[in-house]
């Protein structure tokens, strides 16, 4: 969700990538459905599950939180947004997390 919203709002400003701590066989179907419904973004079209080592080196790393151990990135700024993983929760919870990600991404432009 963060990669998709980052590309939507920051593509003229920076490159955005999303990576996790483990590879998943597919993007969360609820995330795919709600991003398509709310923003018209088809995450399955251009996104796939990847690890941090699979993305280019960045100037800033953002951790969603999600109660997982984040990899160490020596010498790089890391911002932790402290968001809960909405997996398995209802659409209202999912949408709340999506809105928080959108707000935080828009704030990065400031």
């Amino acid at each position: 969700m963060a990669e998709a919203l980052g590309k939507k709002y920051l593509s003229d400003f920076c490159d955005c990538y999303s990576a996790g701590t483990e590879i998943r066989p597919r993007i969360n179907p609820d995330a795919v459905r709600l991003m398509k419904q709310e923003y018209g973004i088809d995450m399955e079209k251009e996104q796939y599950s990847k690890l941090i080592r699979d993305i280019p080196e960045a100037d800033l790393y953002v951790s969603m939180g999600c109660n997982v151990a984040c990899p160490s990135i020596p010498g790089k700024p890391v911002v932790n947004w402290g968001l809960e993983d909405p997996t398995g929760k209802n659409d209202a919870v999912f949408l709340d997390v999506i809105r928080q990600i959108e707000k935080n991404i828009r704030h990065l432009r400031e």
Side-chain angles (χ1 to χ4, degrees), residues 17-35:
Y17 303 93
S18 181
T21 55
E22 59 187 69
I23 296 290
R24 302 281 185 191
R26 64 184 222 189
I27 300 172
N28 182 304
D30 290 323
V32 170
R33 176 178 54 82
L34 291 169
M35 290 295 291

Side-chain angles (χ1 to χ4, degrees), residues 1-4 16-24 47-56 61-66 68-71 73:
M1 298 180 296
E3 179 176 343
C16 297
Y17 303 93
S18 181
T21 55
E22 59 187 69
I23 296 290
R24 302 281 185 191
Q47 291 180 237
Y48 58 92
S49 182
K50 52 197 163 299
L51 299 173
I52 198 157
R53 69 175 182 247
D54 300 329
I55 62 173
Y61 291 85
V62 175
S63 167
M64 295 291 112
C66 304
V68 297
C70 294
I73 307 165

Side-chain angles (χ1 to χ4, degrees), residues 62-67 79-85 97 100 104:
V62 175
S63 167
M64 295 291 112
C66 304
N67 300 320
V79 176
N80 185 338
W81 286 347
L83 300 174
E84 293 295 321
D85 184 349
V97 171
Q100 285 298 314
N104 291 344

Side-chain angles (χ1 to χ4, degrees), residues 8 10 19 75-76 80 96:
K8 176 177 177 63
L10 302 175
K76 294 294 182 175
N80 185 338
D96 183 53

